[in-house]
Amino acid sequence: MKNNKNGLFRSSLFYIVVFVLAMGVILFATGGGTGGNSSQVQKIQSSQFTNDLKKNKVKNFAIESVDGVYKVSGEYRTPQKVSQTNDLAFTVSTKGISKPAKSETKTTKFTTNVVKTDSSIKEINDLAKAKDVKMNAKPTQSNGFWLNLIVSVLPLIIFIYLFYMMMKQAGGGSGGPGGVMKVGKSQAKPVKSKVRFKDVAGEDEEKQELVEVVEFLKDPKKFTSLGAQIPKGVLLEGPPGTGKTLLAKAVAGEAEVPFFSLSGSDFVEMFVGVGASRVRDLFAQAKKTAPAIIFIDEIDAVGRRRGGGTGGGHDEREQTLNQLLVEMDGFTGNSGVIVIAATNRADVLDPALTRPGRFDRKILVGQPDVRGREAILKVHSSDKTLAEDVDLKKIAKETPGFVGADLANLLNEAALLAARRNGKSINAADIDEAEDRVIAGPAKRNRIISEKERNIVANHEAGHTIVGLVLNDARVVHKVTIVPRGRAGGYAIVLPKEDQQLMTKKDAIEQIAGMMGGRSAEEIVFDSESSGASNDFQQATQIARAMVTQYGMSDKLGTVALEDPNGDPYAQPRYSADTAATIDAEVKRITNEGHQKAREIIENHREQHKLIADALLKYETLDEKQILSLYKDGKMPAEVENETETFTEAEKAEATKEKHQEVEDHHDNDDSTDKDN
Ligand code: ADP
Ligand code: MG
Ligand code: ZN
């Protein structure tokens, strides 16, 4: 903030200086140019001027060329009466228009305009010589000169100003006291972080690792006197939104030391060499204020592997990276500066960065488990009013795959929904709606859908549901709805039963069959296909391809890693065209088998399928309890047999599943509704 003010002050000062200068120039031009003391100047006719010359009344005069005429100004030897016969408008003094009164005024000064011809100038010349009048010939003068000066200088001033603003902009905007002279300076100013470890929920192991860093920064002598080597660099690695930035801020907050925060992209500038000099400046500043923390967020922007074969255009980034490496080698861990970096792409980082002596301590910040999610929900709900019926533990269970940022967003959405209905607190229904929103976008209850299309969607979703119910080893159908949301016409949420890190071949095959359930149902019930299944196919194909190329789950290709999920998707494949054909064939076989399996299951459960489809048409949304009741008993659970709307609000069955969930969507192939994987 302080820096911003500083910048504002600078720019307004600059403005003022320019303004004063311009005013001065203009004043001087108009006032000073005519050489004006207060005496009157008489404007006379050119004929009178030549007459006066002949009569030797003129003492001296100057002549200049202005706008196609010669402008003559001069002095008489003796004061002349201002001739009343002349047009009054011409009697202008520098103090204003003189009174057109009869009162006689006298002046020695006069001006006149002479037509610009050779003969006229020759006549004046000759007369002046004959009478020995002092004559001054100026090329251009007076107003013309000053006007010209303004015309030529003003654009320059404006240009300089614009350039200055541009440089300021380039200098990192809000980052600090940018300016023409500051381009190569790091834009980092130390900030005081208010975040504490308690604000970072879960992640106890990660925090434990960082406690040591904090202790060192607080009391370096304790460590250095023992000869302990403190890590120079800590690399926080993990998916986006897991709280890496938050953790780094918490370290700074706990340690109460200056915290220099920069994003990797700040180093990558439009001017070559700026990045490197920024790094130099950043480290110099940090050392001055040591103990201090330098935090480089998204370090992959500069830290990508060098010489990636992409050729050219990367010189700037490489220079910056090299400078960073040099700086990190240039200080010992005991100088009191610790560099923390964060990235979600550690695999693309240059190996030199992660070598011992640089970012030698790596902390993985992963997706939170169910307990972590509950803790995060607790932190973010502390400043919100929750109704009695909100159970954070239950929400945590329903949100496998959600990271800290998602959970913060979920609670915020719920708060907005509660405010929209003028509620006093956030209730379970708000949370439920918010969950669906975060997963699939806002509900579109007003979207007009034809009866026929609704019927197709209901049967399609019932198909997913039935297959999910039958193949229930690892996964549970959590919810199914035909309320359109985002670009999906409806969806079934299928969650894994347990927090699982691994996927078995059986899981994968079952998941694919589940994805195929929608289309299979359409085929069986309507004997037709709709475009609504395209997203299902995308997800199924993705899993099948991963099975073949990453998990070694295809007998034909064996246990070979053919593709790297984190690799460059545009890189040349490392396998032959033959292998590529085999991969395609295997993917096709796996998805076809899934399709077959789904068809079989639906054929064998036509009755239950119809029940669920009809219930969907009637109630629109079914939860786990209702789905199971329909499947097992052929009817809806007793207590909720009455109201359509309350179903979505009805208590959900205790969900006992974690991790991945799937949104199988409809009517459109929009990836944004896909929370899977
Ligand atoms: P990252 O840097 O890993 O992408 P951030 O640190 O920017 O993620 O986190 C984004 C937001 O998500 C934070 O501002 C915070 O509100 C929330 N968040 C993430 N992880 C946690 C956590 N463990 N505890 C509390 N809030 C969290
Ligand atoms: Mg971040
Ligand atoms: Zn589907």
Side-chain angles (χ1 to χ4, degrees), residues 455 458-459 462 609-620:
N455 200 12
N459 276 283
H609 177 256
K610 189 169 180 343
L611 266 173
I612 291 175
D614 289 347
L616 275 173
L617 285 171
K618 191 169 168 202
Y619 305 110
E620 295 200 322

Side-chain angles (χ1 to χ4, degrees), residues 239-246 295 297-298 342-344:
T242 45
K244 300 179 296 293
T245 307
L246 199 66
F295 176 52
D297 210 351
E298 334 249 302
T343 180
N344 43 35

Side-chain angles (χ1 to χ4, degrees), residues 131-149:
K131 305 289 180 203
D132 197 23
V133 180
K134 242 167 87 199
M135 188 180 98
N136 236 334
K138 295 177 258 179
T140 31
Q141 228 264 60
S142 207
N143 282 343
F145 171 75
W146 287 106
L147 205 71
N148 276 345
L149 190 74

Side-chain angles (χ1 to χ4, degrees), residues 41-73:
V41 179
Q42 190 180 190
K43 177 99 185 175
I44 55 173
Q45 306 273 311
S46 63
S47 56
Q48 195 192 337
F49 170 60
T50 38
N51 269 339
D52 290 346
L53 260 182
K54 277 179 200 152
K55 289 184 197 151
N56 201 10
K57 280 171 154 183
V58 179
K59 191 167 128 203
N60 61 42
F61 67 91
I63 193 163
E64 67 179 301
S65 162
V66 174
D67 297 336
V69 294
Y70 287 115
K71 199 168 174 186
V72 178
S73 48

Side-chain angles (χ1 to χ4, degrees), residues 304-312 314 317-318 350 568:
R304 253 163 218 273
R305 201 162 284 143
R306 284 166 296 185
T310 345
H314 289 288
R317 217 204 65 230
E318 281 188 16
D350 196 288
D568 179 2

